[in-house]
Amino acid sequence: MAAPLLGAALCAQTQPPAPQPVERFWSASGLEWSEPANPTRYFDAIGRRAAVFGKQDGRFEAWLWPIKVLHGFRLEFQLERMPEPVRGENYLQSVTVRPESTTLLYVHPNFTVKQTIWAADDRSAIVLFFDVDSDRPLSITAKFVPDFKPMWPAAMGGQHSGWLEEDKAFTLSDGTYKPTAVIGSPASSANTEFMDHSLIGGEMLLRISTSPAEARHRLYPLVMTLSMTSEEEARSVYRDVLAHAREIYELKTQHWRDFLEHTLQLETPDADLNRAFTWAKVSIEQGWVCTASASASEPGQSPPSAPPEGFAFPANEPCGVVAGYGPAGDGERPGFAWWFGGDGLMATWAMLDYGDFDGALRELRFLKAHQRSDGKMMHEMVQSAQIADWWSKYHFGYMHADTTPMYLYSLGQYWQRTGDQKFLDEFWPSAEKAYAYCVSTLDPDDGLMDNTKSGLGAIEVGVLRGTVKKDVYVQGFWVGGLRAMAALAAVRGSTEQTNDAGQRLEKALATLRTKWRDPALNHYAFGVDTAGQRADMIGNWSAALLSAGGGVGPEEDDEAAVQAFASPELATDWGSRWISNKSPLYDPVSYNNGTAWPFAGGFVAWAQYAHGQPLAGYSTLMSLAHLTGAQTPGGMPEHMVGNRNEPGERSVPHQLFSSWSMVRPVVAGLFGLSSSAEKEVSIEPRLPATWAKASFKHYRAGATEIGATIQQEPGRTTFNLHAAGPSRPLLVRPQLPYGAETSQTHLNGRRLPQAALAVASSSEQSQIAFDYRGGVALAPVKPVPERGAANASLKILNVTTNDKARSVTISLAGLGERTYELDLLTESSRLQVEGADKTEKTQNGYRIYVSFGAGEDFVHKNVILRY
């Protein structure tokens, strides 16, 4: 760190201003994650116009979008009569993260300080509340290194700093004196003094003085604000925040209470899954960033003098979902805190699943606004785009191929869930342009998108970059986009476009079916290289084709292809590897050639549930669920290394498209929820047989809201359904044990002729009970690896039944020379087990012990059950 500027000194004010702390209050959303402070772990505090990124030693950097204002913020404490201050990091005990704020707890033998950090949503401001418990006057000294630099790759020169005596605050600005940040506190009693207008090269200092009597009733604020147009506006924001800090915070908290209450809620016997799902929703909602360009408002234009009555997005500023959050350190590149098209589209799927239709529409509009004139959708846009001249000087904006077909797929998803005709009218011209762009990149010989024409897809870096002509990841979204385009065109009454999309779909599927599928390996190829050769390496890229793409068909081939994802070559206890660890290209720390990405694991789990592999789907899902909080409370990491349960060295700690993986596979897979425009809603859960009960509420399908409690007991599965809004048919189907036979079904006590499927109306409360007899259910495997552990859990590769022989064959993989337990749930008293070392009777069935032969790696084995 550079030495402070010559002449800078600590200036004790001769007439300290009368402090104006905030009256003590408390407001909370009701959701929190608390843990002992660990200096290697990350924390953040997120708002729509600002954010704080820090480590759990108390240090952080502050961003007032799009400006990095400071870094290295830390605290020192000094009691009256204490000879010298103590450093805060030595006394930091715990970190408590809530959707609305983060609280750092400092405990000294003679005092306790709670530092609550939060970022406003309706204005560009960061606020720190200091809650002090001390018997003697306590000074809190904030030290930080000023930056005042815009987000990468933009730059400003000639940074300046100053002091506003009237506001007890620093100013940071550039040579134009238009963009300005204000950092201060009305309780300031000392500050760094400047002898000229250069930005100081070392730490700046702001001291807050507290008294025991006042601290019992007040909170001490430190506020940071920004204007991109003038110092006058920045000061106005600063004063307004101080005047209305409580109201602004309570408004933010109320938003989070409403969000948590009115979006989809799940309750299962697995607390890890419940927590992961809830925090996934929060992480995605925290992704909204609203930032004004330097020309978005006139100089001197003031923000509202009081918080708005409701919680709304700014009318004239761009607001979109960024990719994630992580510290920039000494640089200006904070994780992925800028907008990515693909990440934003995945976020819309999650929003639709948890019921935020307005948010999904807003994000789709944001991306539509940045659609290129030829129809291609944006890949990424930094927050400093206008300062950096992003679109003309840099090549990143439209570099990816997958975003445009993914956009078509996402438009189809929105229509399917809402049936909103106004939406379709608004977006149809954009959909036509996106479709035309995709068609322009096709290889006429096979009907597939060509990466050399359209851009990057599955591979961004590594040994494969530049060698890929077509990849299955892009084709997955192209197939999904074609299905969406055909459906939307049919709703529009456009026979020509419906037929065109349908014909192109058939051609693409025929190519994938006949030229990309390896019948010997039951696997879809990665793609075609620039030499025209098929790349047959085993990986999880085809999961996008088998989930969002809807599969290739016939279904038995898709089911066989999905089975490869459960192999320990790909399946780890912390997600799914990009590429098999048997491949010569495998590198466990390579970004694209061996790491395990939660978002890719989300596609894998989704595909497994969609194509008849619920046990493998559950194991994949739970391997992801435990990643919640891996690097930061509530967040999910960008990627994990391939050979141990450890985040990548440069993994972004709070990545939104990782959190997406805990929404769609849970909603569409585990609970089996889906809806079709203004038609039926399907409820086809694939719950673990060991769960006695699970429930959901606030599932939205158009204007209808549905909930259910699902109870499982031997011989019967019961659905208690409730709904509000317009009536819709509810199609309900239970998951039965392997080999079970349905006997009868009752709807509200009345026997139905259809035993396996029941239809109820959403206009009334209903109870549907499915009775069955016989069969065997398997308890799923839930990986729970220790930090840094290697892949070790039992893998259920496949389960097949032979009704005629009354048998079930379980294909397993386990580490050599290890014995695993597997629980079977059945009422059969004559179960015979072949391939297990020992079988024990349990209350609900049997427990079998399966040993695997010699070998240092995973070994495959079959177990046959005869019932």
Side-chain angles (χ1 to χ4, degrees), residues 365-431:
R365 282 175 172 156
F366 176 81
L367 296 173
K368 177 166 67 73
H370 296 94
Q371 186 176 21
R372 205 166 65 183
S373 60
D374 64 354
K376 190 173 189 179
M377 301 307 297
M378 175 190 85
H379 169 60
E380 62 180 297
M381 178 176 68
V382 293
Q383 293 190 42
S384 58
Q386 291 196 353
I387 304 173
D389 196 6
W390 177 252
W391 304 112
S392 63
K393 291 186 177 179
Y394 297 87
H395 72 282
F396 303 106
Y398 296 94
M399 68 187 295
H400 260 250
D402 50 303
T403 313
T404 308
M406 192 189 299
Y407 175 68
L408 292 173
Y409 170 80
S410 302
L411 297 181
Q413 289 288 289
Y414 189 89
W415 164 259
Q416 183 174 318
R417 289 296 298 277
T418 67
D420 185 346
Q421 187 63 51
K422 291 183 178 179
F423 157 80
L424 189 53
D425 293 342
E426 175 187 345
F427 277 83
W428 184 247
S430 173

Side-chain angles (χ1 to χ4, degrees), residues 28-110:
S29 61
L31 178 68
E32 67 178 42
W33 183 309
S34 188
E35 62 186 30
N38 181 336
T40 67
R41 287 175 59 76
Y42 167 85
F43 78 87
D44 54 29
I46 305 297
R48 290 181 175 172
R49 298 168 181 253
V52 163
F53 309 138
K55 286 293 186 73
Q56 293 184 15
D57 60 0
R59 293 176 179 266
F60 66 73
E61 61 190 61
W63 288 81
L64 295 164
W65 305 128
I67 302 295
K68 182 185 180 187
V69 179
L70 58 86
H71 72 275
F73 186 103
R74 63 183 183 88
L75 298 179
E76 292 183 354
F77 303 103
Q78 188 169 15
L79 277 171
E80 185 179 63
R81 300 192 302 276
M82 182 181 283
E84 60 182 7
V86 295
R87 295 176 68 99
E89 61 265 31
N90 295 328
Y91 297 92
L92 181 57
Q93 297 295 313
S94 67
V95 176
T96 301
V97 172
R98 306 174 187 87
E100 65 273 20
S101 64
T102 293
T103 297
L104 309 183
L105 176 64
Y106 298 89
V107 179
H108 183 276
N110 293 312

Side-chain angles (χ1 to χ4, degrees), residues 491-651:
V491 175
R492 294 280 300 178
S494 175
T495 303
E496 181 180 350
Q497 287 171 311
T498 301
N499 291 339
D500 184 74
Q503 291 167 6
R504 294 187 188 280
L505 174 62
E506 285 305 314
K507 185 172 185 177
L509 291 176
T511 299
L512 293 168
R513 193 178 296 126
T514 60
K515 297 183 178 180
W516 285 47
R517 182 175 180 272
D518 185 333
L521 295 175
N522 288 325
H523 192 68
Y524 289 100
F526 165 73
V528 177
D529 64 24
T530 51
Q533 299 299 309
R534 190 174 78 179
D536 282 325
M537 56 190 175
I538 302 295
N540 64 18
W541 299 282
S542 61
L545 173 65
L546 293 161
S547 55
V552 179
E555 178 57 26
E556 56 266 26
D557 288 348
D558 288 346
E559 289 182 5
V562 164
Q563 292 173 26
F565 300 145
S567 166
E569 293 183 31
L570 296 177
T572 76
D573 297 343
W574 52 90
S576 177
R577 297 185 184 101
W578 277 124
I579 190 172
S580 165
N581 65 349
K582 306 299 184 185
S583 169
L585 297 177
Y586 170 72
D587 180 347
V589 298
S590 170
Y591 201 64
N592 283 147
N593 285 53
T595 49
W597 290 53
F599 102 91
F603 284 111
V604 168
W606 181 8
Q608 288 169 325
Y609 277 114
H611 297 286
Q613 297 292 328
L615 293 169
Y618 180 79
S619 291
T620 301
L621 184 63
M622 297 312 297
S623 74
L624 302 173
H626 81 80
L627 299 181
T628 303
Q631 289 184 275
T632 185
M636 289 187 76
E638 177 195 13
H639 66 274
M640 307 289 287
V641 298
N643 59 352
R644 66 190 72 252
N645 179 33
E646 185 69 21
E649 187 175 6
R650 293 177 177 82
S651 168

